[in-house]
Amino acid sequence: QVQLVESGGGLVQAGGSLRLSCAASGRTFSSYAMDWFRQAPGKEREFVAAISRSGGVTHYGDSAKGRFTISRDNAKNTVYLQMNSLKPDDTAVYYCAARPGAFGTSLRYWGQGTQVTVSS
């Protein structure tokens, strides 16, 4: 099992930007596709973004399209989520996840989450 450590969350004003990082342990980072999810209080977990093992293919949830960018640096065992034009509705705990299988599969190894708060 891969271990994931997230960082980069914090407070930001609406319209601002933030970059989240998720660092993976071990030597098998490139074996996993990587996803970002988020969960606001009282809400279900929501898909945000996904990136393929080589970084060549990305997918975004509707809430992220046009504003967020997922990327990865396999040499650093790290996946990133660049968030621009932030809105108060983006306030949530953001989780990264390592996924051995295809996009639609359910098996994921989760990070601990990092809080993002966007003020009006």
Side-chain angles (χ1 to χ4, degrees):
Q1 180 179 328
V2 63
Q3 276 73 50
L4 306 174
V5 179
E6 298 167 313
S7 62
L11 301 170
V12 64
Q13 292 191 111
S17 298
L18 205 60
R19 188 177 74 161
L20 307 183
S21 300
C22 178
S25 65
R27 300 171 56 249
T28 60
F29 178 70
S30 63
S31 298
Y32 300 95
M34 297 295 295
D35 303 329
W36 286 96
F37 286 77
R38 69 186 187 185
Q39 188 166 25
K43 305 296 183 181
E44 294 185 354
R45 186 166 291 185
E46 176 188 15
F47 170 73
V48 176
I51 190 166
S52 63
R53 291 160 181 79
S54 67
V57 180
T58 58
H59 298 282
Y60 297 93
D62 289 341
S63 63
K65 290 177 182 176
R67 300 188 299 128
F68 295 1
T69 302
I70 188 171
S71 61
R72 68 191 296 163
D73 186 340
N74 286 351
K76 297 181 178 178
N77 281 11
T78 302
V79 64
Y80 305 95
L81 184 68
Q82 177 67 47
M83 304 186 293
N84 299 325
S85 301
L86 284 162
K87 308 172 181 178
D89 284 348
D90 295 320
T91 296
V93 178
Y94 284 70
Y95 300 90
C96 66
R99 171 167 46 83
F103 178 75
T105 60
S106 60
L107 176 60
R108 292 181 175 88
Y109 303 106
W110 296 94
Q112 81 286 355
T114 185
Q115 176 72 46
V116 172
T117 302
V118 183
S119 62
S120 301

